[in-house]
Amino acid sequence: VRLRAVSGVASGDVMPADREVRTALMLAARKDPNDAVRKEALQVLLRYPPGREIRDVLLEVLTHDPNAGLRIAAINGLDSLRQSGFGPDAAQLRSVRKGVESEQNLYVRVRSRSILEEKQQ
């Protein structure tokens, strides 16, 4: 039911501007016990205009989600946001750096390092 609800939001041509909908999507991307719901919520959030709240959700998924596929989606989303001017700040970069140390997925580890290196330059 949760997956269908998130998919229903995504099926519209125009993303709802309702703050409650976006907040629910952010909560689902962070905390839903179902991987598919978290992934769909993340994909829907990436259709919204770039912003700090979405960046923060992506960083949390990157550093805390147990699913490697979602961490990959988060790092790809962060790269898109960074190009829009919403890259991680210094505190968030420290969090990413800490997460990179224990990351098991090679792709996520390499992409995270590339974000860290670009920010330092």
Side-chain angles (χ1 to χ4, degrees), residues 10-11 14 16 19 50 52 60 66 77 79 85 87-88 94 101 109:
S11 67
V14 178
R19 175 99 175 121
R52 289 185 180 107
E60 186 172 333
D79 192 39
R94 284 191 296 273
E101 294 171 6
R109 192 169 53 235

Side-chain angles (χ1 to χ4, degrees), residues 61-119:
V61 170
L62 174 63
T63 56
H64 298 295
D65 200 286
N67 184 297
L70 287 166
R71 293 192 310 273
I72 289 170
I75 196 74
N76 290 336
L78 280 168
D79 192 39
S80 295
L81 286 181
R82 182 182 51 79
Q83 293 173 7
S84 300
F86 289 96
D89 61 26
Q92 292 165 329
L93 286 173
R94 284 191 296 273
S95 177
V96 171
R97 192 173 288 116
K98 181 181 175 186
V100 167
E101 294 171 6
S102 61
E103 178 59 54
Q104 298 298 313
N105 185 284
L106 180 61
Y107 180 80
V108 175
R109 192 169 53 235
V110 168
R111 288 296 304 267
S112 297
R113 285 184 183 146
S114 73
I115 285 177
L116 292 171
E117 289 170 4
E118 281 185 27
K119 189 66 174 183

Side-chain angles (χ1 to χ4, degrees), residues 13-87:
D13 291 335
V14 178
M15 296 306 298
D18 189 333
R19 175 99 175 121
E20 290 180 11
V21 172
R22 197 168 81 188
T23 300
L25 289 167
M26 289 187 291
L27 180 63
R30 286 178 164 134
K31 304 287 183 188
D32 198 278
N34 186 308
D35 291 353
V37 172
R38 291 194 315 274
K39 182 178 181 182
E40 186 73 19
L42 201 59
Q43 290 175 343
V44 173
L45 284 171
L46 289 172
R47 292 179 52 198
Y48 277 91
R52 289 185 180 107
E53 290 177 324
I54 293 173
R55 176 200 60 199
D56 294 347
V57 169
L58 292 170
L59 285 165
E60 186 172 333
V61 170
L62 174 63
T63 56
H64 298 295
D65 200 286
N67 184 297
L70 287 166
R71 293 192 310 273
I72 289 170
I75 196 74
N76 290 336
L78 280 168
D79 192 39
S80 295
L81 286 181
R82 182 182 51 79
Q83 293 173 7
S84 300
F86 289 96

